[in-house]
mmCIF file of all heavy atoms in Angstrom:
data_model
loop_
_atom_site.group_PDB
_atom_site.id
_atom_site.type_symbol
_atom_site.label_atom_id
_atom_site.label_comp_id
_atom_site.label_asym_id
_atom_site.label_seq_id
_atom_site.Cartn_x
_atom_site.Cartn_y
_atom_site.Cartn_z
ATOM 1 N N ILE A 175 -3.946 -25.291 29.899
ATOM 2 C CA ILE A 175 -3.068 -25.046 31.047
ATOM 3 C C ILE A 175 -2.169 -26.257 31.303
ATOM 4 O O ILE A 175 -2.577 -27.400 31.094
ATOM 5 C CB ILE A 175 -3.920 -24.701 32.302
ATOM 6 C CG1 ILE A 175 -3.057 -24.107 33.411
ATOM 7 C CG2 ILE A 175 -4.716 -25.888 32.796
ATOM 8 C CD1 ILE A 175 -3.860 -23.439 34.518
ATOM 9 N N GLU A 177 -0.672 -26.511 34.359
ATOM 10 C CA GLU A 177 -0.392 -26.398 35.800
ATOM 11 C C GLU A 177 -1.065 -27.487 36.639
ATOM 12 O O GLU A 177 -1.564 -27.230 37.727
ATOM 13 C CB GLU A 177 -0.746 -24.984 36.261
ATOM 14 C CG GLU A 177 0.096 -23.948 35.520
ATOM 15 C CD GLU A 177 -0.191 -22.510 35.903
ATOM 16 O OE1 GLU A 177 -0.852 -22.292 36.920
ATOM 17 O OE2 GLU A 177 0.254 -21.613 35.169
ATOM 18 N N GLN A 201 -6.521 -20.885 36.326
ATOM 19 C CA GLN A 201 -7.228 -20.367 35.157
ATOM 20 C C GLN A 201 -7.960 -21.481 34.435
ATOM 21 O O GLN A 201 -8.218 -22.524 35.000
ATOM 22 C CB GLN A 201 -6.247 -19.675 34.235
ATOM 23 C CG GLN A 201 -5.059 -20.566 33.914
ATOM 24 C CD GLN A 201 -4.199 -19.992 32.839
ATOM 25 O OE1 GLN A 201 -4.700 -19.560 31.816
ATOM 26 N NE2 GLN A 201 -2.908 -19.990 33.052
ATOM 27 N N VAL A 451 -2.905 -15.085 32.074
ATOM 28 C CA VAL A 451 -3.946 -15.632 32.946
ATOM 29 C C VAL A 451 -5.315 -15.364 32.321
ATOM 30 O O VAL A 451 -5.587 -14.260 31.869
ATOM 31 C CB VAL A 451 -3.855 -14.994 34.354
ATOM 32 C CG1 VAL A 451 -5.056 -15.389 35.193
ATOM 33 C CG2 VAL A 451 -2.566 -15.412 35.042
ATOM 34 N N HIS A 487 4.884 -16.761 31.478
ATOM 35 C CA HIS A 487 4.060 -17.604 32.355
ATOM 36 C C HIS A 487 2.762 -17.902 31.612
ATOM 37 O O HIS A 487 2.392 -17.192 30.692
ATOM 38 C CB HIS A 487 3.798 -16.910 33.689
ATOM 39 C CG HIS A 487 4.944 -17.089 34.635
ATOM 40 N ND1 HIS A 487 4.792 -17.409 35.956
ATOM 41 C CD2 HIS A 487 6.276 -17.034 34.409
ATOM 42 C CE1 HIS A 487 5.981 -17.532 36.525
ATOM 43 N NE2 HIS A 487 6.900 -17.298 35.609
ATOM 44 N N GLU A 488 2.117 -19.011 32.001
ATOM 45 C CA GLU A 488 0.987 -19.540 31.217
ATOM 46 C C GLU A 488 1.416 -19.572 29.745
ATOM 47 O O GLU A 488 0.761 -19.012 28.865
ATOM 48 C CB GLU A 488 -0.287 -18.688 31.402
ATOM 49 C CG GLU A 488 -0.781 -18.625 32.818
ATOM 50 C CD GLU A 488 0.025 -17.661 33.713
ATOM 51 O OE1 GLU A 488 0.255 -16.511 33.298
ATOM 52 O OE2 GLU A 488 0.428 -18.078 34.805
ATOM 53 N N GLU A 506 7.183 -20.629 32.688
ATOM 54 C CA GLU A 506 6.488 -21.392 33.719
ATOM 55 C C GLU A 506 6.031 -22.695 33.050
ATOM 56 O O GLU A 506 6.866 -23.530 32.729
ATOM 57 C CB GLU A 506 5.328 -20.557 34.260
ATOM 58 C CG GLU A 506 4.693 -21.102 35.517
ATOM 59 C CD GLU A 506 3.436 -20.341 35.888
ATOM 60 O OE1 GLU A 506 2.656 -19.956 34.997
ATOM 61 O OE2 GLU A 506 3.197 -20.148 37.082
ATOM 62 N N GLY A 507 4.715 -22.879 32.841
ATOM 63 C CA GLY A 507 4.278 -24.101 32.171
ATOM 64 C C GLY A 507 4.317 -25.292 33.096
ATOM 65 O O GLY A 507 4.602 -26.415 32.672
ATOM 66 N N LEU A 508 4.084 -25.041 34.346
ATOM 67 C CA LEU A 508 3.982 -26.100 35.351
ATOM 68 C C LEU A 508 3.331 -25.497 36.585
ATOM 69 O O LEU A 508 3.149 -24.286 36.669
ATOM 70 C CB LEU A 508 5.354 -26.681 35.695
ATOM 71 C CG LEU A 508 6.169 -25.972 36.789
ATOM 72 C CD1 LEU A 508 7.274 -26.869 37.246
ATOM 73 C CD2 LEU A 508 6.694 -24.631 36.339
ATOM 74 N N GLY A 510 3.729 -23.981 39.603
ATOM 75 C CA GLY A 510 4.877 -23.298 40.196
ATOM 76 C C GLY A 510 4.732 -23.115 41.700
ATOM 77 O O GLY A 510 3.752 -23.535 42.316
ATOM 78 N N GLU A 512 3.927 -20.604 43.274
ATOM 79 C CA GLU A 512 2.771 -19.783 43.661
ATOM 80 C C GLU A 512 1.620 -20.611 44.241
ATOM 81 O O GLU A 512 0.882 -20.143 45.095
ATOM 82 C CB GLU A 512 2.283 -18.968 42.462
ATOM 83 C CG GLU A 512 1.791 -19.819 41.306
ATOM 84 C CD GLU A 512 1.456 -19.013 40.049
ATOM 85 O OE1 GLU A 512 1.920 -17.886 39.922
ATOM 86 O OE2 GLU A 512 0.721 -19.542 39.198
ATOM 87 N N PHE A 513 1.475 -21.870 43.758
ATOM 88 C CA PHE A 513 0.382 -22.713 44.271
ATOM 89 C C PHE A 513 0.504 -22.936 45.775
ATOM 90 O O PHE A 513 -0.502 -23.131 46.456
ATOM 91 C CB PHE A 513 0.346 -24.066 43.540
ATOM 92 C CG PHE A 513 -0.393 -24.009 42.229
ATOM 93 C CD1 PHE A 513 0.172 -23.396 41.129
ATOM 94 C CD2 PHE A 513 -1.664 -24.559 42.100
ATOM 95 C CE1 PHE A 513 -0.502 -23.323 39.915
ATOM 96 C CE2 PHE A 513 -2.351 -24.492 40.892
ATOM 97 C CZ PHE A 513 -1.773 -23.875 39.798
ATOM 98 N N TRP A 516 -1.504 -20.311 47.699
ATOM 99 C CA TRP A 516 -2.977 -20.206 47.725
ATOM 100 C C TRP A 516 -3.770 -21.448 47.365
ATOM 101 O O TRP A 516 -4.989 -21.460 47.515
ATOM 102 C CB TRP A 516 -3.451 -19.024 46.875
ATOM 103 C CG TRP A 516 -2.706 -18.771 45.584
ATOM 104 C CD1 TRP A 516 -1.821 -17.751 45.357
ATOM 105 C CD2 TRP A 516 -2.770 -19.504 44.352
ATOM 106 N NE1 TRP A 516 -1.341 -17.805 44.067
ATOM 107 C CE2 TRP A 516 -1.906 -18.871 43.430
ATOM 108 C CE3 TRP A 516 -3.477 -20.640 43.931
ATOM 109 C CZ2 TRP A 516 -1.718 -19.332 42.125
ATOM 110 C CZ3 TRP A 516 -3.295 -21.113 42.637
ATOM 111 C CH2 TRP A 516 -2.418 -20.452 41.749
HETATM 112 CA CA1 CA B 2 0.835 -19.391 36.640
#
Side-chain angles (χ1 to χ4, degrees):
I175 194 166
E177 299 180 14
Q201 52 171 313
V451 171
H487 278 224
E488 299 78 49
E506 192 188 38
L508 86 165
E512 63 187 19
F513 277 74
W516 38 254

